[in-house]
Amino acid sequence: MNIITSKPWDSKSLRPTEEKHYLNRRKALRQLGLATGGLLTAPLLGLKQRQKQNLDFTFVGLSDYFPADLNKRYTLDRPMTSEYDATHYNNFYEFISREDPNIYNVYKFVDQFDTRDWRFEVSGLANRTGVYFLEEMIKQFGLEERTYRHRCVERWSMAVPWTGFPMKKFVDFFGPQNGANYIKMTSFADPVVMPGVRNLNHYPWPYTEGLRIDEARNDVAFIATGLYGKTLPKQNGAPMRLVVPWKYGYKNTKSIIKFEFTKEEPTTFWNQVAPDEYPFISNVDPTVPHPRWSQEFEKMIPDGEQRPTLKYNGYGEFVAQMYNK
Ligand SMILES: Nc1nc2c(c(=O)[nH]1)N[C@H]1C(S)=C(S)[C@@H](COP(=O)(O)O)O[C@H]1N2
Ligand SMILES: [Mo]
């Protein structure tokens, strides 16, 4: 069942603060089997308390689940990027502001984005659909830390410690049905709190991306809820974002509000903007140049130290078999 109608800014209706969205909240809770007779007449202010009483887990806030143990299977071949650099040099078009339109200064404009009590919708060809709380997922799957390389299509690279859970656990929990070949992800998009969504009218908001189901179930695919042992900063895609380090950065959908299991390959934000430059698959590959630049080298943040680009960004041992059929 589709709870949320797909209007351009539908993601707003999943946020808890506005009274006009009360109806959707109530439906969301009912979908979770939480609504009671009393809830139907509950004043908005009492709702949060009621959620707490009725859920089979207690909301404690995401920070209580940190820090998590390091998964030692994923090692780095280079020094870790500093926490300052990884949280002050970000690509997040939703927050580009006229005040300082440098894409990499978006950290200055994220304050009004409220990521508390995050919930997201799951729809399409899956055994479970509806609206779920992120905290429920964390409770269910637990958290682990992984150090991964991170490679933007524009050639800069980093190495950072994410905290989160394997996407495989997430996909298997929702249970793709026969005929589900892809998973589409949609980012939060609210012109009121996101200056880029408000001002960059020529872009096809909301931001969308996707993976094949086998890619989403690969061991390396990760849903991050944290960075440097703490909850994710807003500019890094709080409170939940995709991390697929064998692909270019733009596949790593931030602030995800919707997951949809589909039969057909979903359209993506950057592919709509420039189809020749941003194909769906987008695996890191030194031999496939971007139409406007070579991909043979990458430049490490912050010094610009150059390194040869590695095929699959160095994750071939885990992912190559998916593409060598
Ligand atoms: N919703 C959304 N997700 C996004 C982007 C964006 O503009 N909007 N930028 C992408 C790009 S191009 C990159 S390189 C990474 C950057 O992630 P970071 O800022 O955490 O390093 O986020 C990706 N995810
Ligand atoms: Mo990027």
Side-chain angles (χ1 to χ4, degrees), residues 2 122-127 129 177 259-262:
N2 259 333
V122 177
S123 70
L125 303 168
N127 293 332
T129 56
Q177 295 174 342
F259 296 84
E260 196 176 348
F261 291 86
T262 68

Side-chain angles (χ1 to χ4, degrees), residues 86 89-94 103-104 150-154 156 158 162 187-188 205 207 227 235-237 241 248-255 269-270:
Y89 186 86
N90 300 99
N91 186 302
F92 203 166
Y93 272 64
E94 284 86 335
I103 167 69
Y104 292 107
H150 175 31
R151 168 65 152 80
C152 176
V153 71
E154 290 166 7
W156 57 259
M158 297 190 188
W162 302 107
S187 296
F188 184 71
W205 306 110
Y207 194 99
L227 191 60
Q235 61 270 29
N236 292 88
R241 60 90 56 87
Y248 289 117
Y250 57 88
K251 297 294 290 183
N252 295 251
T253 327
K254 290 179 165 180
S255 305
F269 182 86
W270 286 115

Side-chain angles (χ1 to χ4, degrees), residues 89-248:
Y89 186 86
N90 300 99
N91 186 302
F92 203 166
Y93 272 64
E94 284 86 335
F95 290 103
I96 297 180
S97 166
R98 285 184 178 145
E99 237 177 90
D100 179 354
N102 181 342
I103 167 69
Y104 292 107
N105 282 341
V106 292
Y107 71 91
K108 295 179 182 171
F109 304 104
V110 298
D111 289 351
Q112 293 190 66
F113 177 30
D114 185 356
T115 64
R116 291 171 298 178
D117 295 339
W118 193 261
R119 66 210 70 192
F120 57 87
E121 186 192 358
V122 177
S123 70
L125 303 168
N127 293 332
R128 290 182 210 243
T129 56
V131 175
Y132 293 79
F133 288 94
L134 172 59
E135 199 173 329
E136 253 183 312
M137 302 295 114
I138 294 177
K139 195 91 185 172
Q140 181 99 359
F141 307 135
L143 291 177
E144 60 179 74
E145 189 169 62
R146 295 184 180 189
T147 55
Y148 274 167
R149 291 181 290 275
H150 175 31
R151 168 65 152 80
C152 176
V153 71
E154 290 166 7
R155 290 184 288 201
W156 57 259
S157 70
M158 297 190 188
V160 297
W162 302 107
T163 302
F165 47 80
M167 191 169 193
K168 182 182 191 318
K169 287 190 184 175
F170 181 88
V171 169
D172 291 346
F173 175 81
F174 289 99
Q177 295 174 342
N178 278 342
N181 300 319
Y182 298 90
I183 182 163
K184 177 179 180 178
M185 283 150 277
T186 304
S187 296
F188 184 71
D190 178 356
V192 176
V193 299
M194 296 171 144
V197 174
R198 190 161 64 236
N199 298 324
L200 302 171
N201 297 314
H202 52 293
Y203 282 123
W205 306 110
Y207 194 99
T208 52
E209 258 302 339
L211 294 173
R212 300 190 326 216
I213 293 285
D214 65 324
E215 294 177 324
R217 295 182 75 253
N218 184 277
D219 284 345
V220 180
F222 200 58
I223 295 192
T225 60
L227 191 60
Y228 295 90
K230 294 169 279 193
T231 54
L232 272 179
K234 293 174 185 177
Q235 61 270 29
N236 292 88
M240 69 188 309
R241 60 90 56 87
L242 179 66
V243 179
V244 280
W246 73 97
K247 292 180 179 286
Y248 289 117

